[in-house]
C-alpha cells in the first residue's frame, strides 16, 4: 500500500510543482461585495480551492463514518467484557 502511495504521489507532486512554476503570473480577483481585491499567483488561485475542497471532502467523509466507528468501538468493548466474564466462569 505504501508503494502505491509513492507511485501515485510522487508523479502528482511533480505535476503540481511544474504547474506552480508555469503559472506564476499575478491574477487580480475583485471580491465583489467588498470594496477591495486580491492579487494572487495563478497557481495559488487554482491549487488553494482544490486543497480546500480535498480537505473538506476528507473531513465530511471522516465525519460521516464517525457514528459507525463509535458503535463498533462500543460493540468491541462489550464483546471483550463478555469474553472476559466467559473465561472467568
Amino acid at each position: 500500500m505504501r508503494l502505491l502511495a509513492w507511485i501515485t504521489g510522487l508523479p502528482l507532486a511533480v505535476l503540481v510543482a511544474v504547474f506552480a512554476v508555469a503559472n506564476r503570473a499575478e491574477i487580480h480577483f475583485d471580491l465583489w461585495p467588498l470594496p477591495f481585491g486580491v492579487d494572487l499567483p495563478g497557481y495559488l488561485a487554482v491549487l488553494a480551492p482544490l486543497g480546500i475542497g480535498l480537505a473538506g471532502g476528507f473531513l465530511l467523509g471522516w465525519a460521516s463514518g464517525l457514528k459507525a466507528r463509535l458503535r463498533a468501538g462500543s460493540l468491541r468493548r462489550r464483546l471483550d467484557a463478555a469474553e472476559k466474564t466467559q473465561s472467568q466462569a
Side-chain angles (χ1 to χ4, degrees):
M1 190 66 163
R2 184 169 285 190
L3 179 63
L4 181 62
W6 276 102
I7 290 172
T8 57
L10 191 60
L12 187 61
V14 169
L15 285 174
V16 168
V18 168
F19 178 79
V21 169
N23 292 291
R24 292 180 299 185
E26 293 283 324
I27 298 174
H28 181 76
F29 285 101
D30 285 325
L31 305 173
W32 171 62
L34 303 174
F36 57 88
V38 177
D39 289 327
L40 293 173
Y43 68 89
L44 193 59
V46 173
L47 295 178
L50 178 66
I52 291 168
L54 287 171
F58 174 77
L59 287 174
L60 285 174
W62 178 81
S64 69
L66 184 61
K67 184 177 178 182
R69 286 192 305 276
L70 290 174
R71 180 159 168 75
S74 172
L75 291 174
R76 179 167 294 164
R77 284 189 294 277
R78 286 180 56 195
L79 178 63
D80 290 343
E83 287 176 347
K84 186 176 179 180
T85 58
Q86 183 71 22
S87 66
Q88 290 176 355

